[in-house]
Amino acid sequence: SSFKPKGPTNEVVKVVNGMKRRRLGGSDIVVSELGLGTQRWVSVDHNAPDEKLCFDFMDEAILKSGVNLLDTAEQYPIPSGIGSPEGSTEECIGKWLKERKGSVKREDVVIATKITGGRNVNPRNIKKDCEGSLKRLGTDYI
């Protein structure tokens, strides 16, 4: 194997605003011990957080509290519907990243996204779904 670990798995690499950041596997990706789950963000559910509240969540967690991990998916929000189609959560995150460009650098946020499974999983659709996520997130890597 040509993989050379960057350091021990789960190693605490640094602490940011009191939040431990650990090595993900043996990679050079370092993630906060806590992450933000985004499944219901901007969904059609009556008590789902709207865009402003989601921005507040990211401001508090990422800008103030040392969180750097966002967990999302191309099919979020759940539930989706008229006015909040699948992909809206990634668009919300992308808008926040764009609007906070002066406060947060893209490389300081780890975005973990997923594609819809089942028969959808094949090389062509994986590439297409990832390209869609990149576009909605307004970034060039995930």
Side-chain angles (χ1 to χ4, degrees), residues 68-79:
N68 76 333
L69 176 61
L70 286 169
D71 174 56
T72 193
E74 55 131 6
Q75 83 178 88
Y76 291 177
I78 295 174

Side-chain angles (χ1 to χ4, degrees), residues 16-121:
V16 177
N17 295 332
M19 178 70 62
K20 289 179 185 173
R21 298 222 179 141
R22 295 183 178 272
R23 182 173 313 285
L24 188 61
S27 74
D28 59 355
I29 299 170
V30 177
V31 296
S32 51
E33 287 190 321
L34 297 177
L36 284 176
T38 64
Q39 184 182 52
R40 300 181 70 77
W41 286 14
V42 301
S43 79
V44 296
D45 191 36
H46 72 279
N47 63 353
D50 62 10
E51 183 180 271
K52 183 196 177 313
L53 189 53
C54 293
F55 277 34
D56 290 346
F57 292 159
M58 290 184 278
D59 287 343
E60 181 64 31
I62 296 170
L63 298 181
K64 298 176 184 172
S65 301
V67 171
N68 76 333
L69 176 61
L70 286 169
D71 174 56
T72 193
E74 55 131 6
Q75 83 178 88
Y76 291 177
I78 295 174
S80 57
I82 296 171
S84 193
E86 290 184 356
S88 296
T89 300
E90 288 181 334
E91 288 174 352
C92 177
I93 293 166
K95 186 174 178 183
W96 181 84
L97 285 168
K98 184 177 182 182
E99 289 188 11
R100 300 299 188 273
K101 231 180 190 118
S103 304
V104 65
K105 293 184 281 191
R106 170 63 186 93
E107 60 267 19
D108 292 336
V109 180
V110 177
I111 300 173
T113 193
K114 301 168 279 303
I115 65 166
T116 306
R119 293 185 181 154
N120 179 56
V121 181

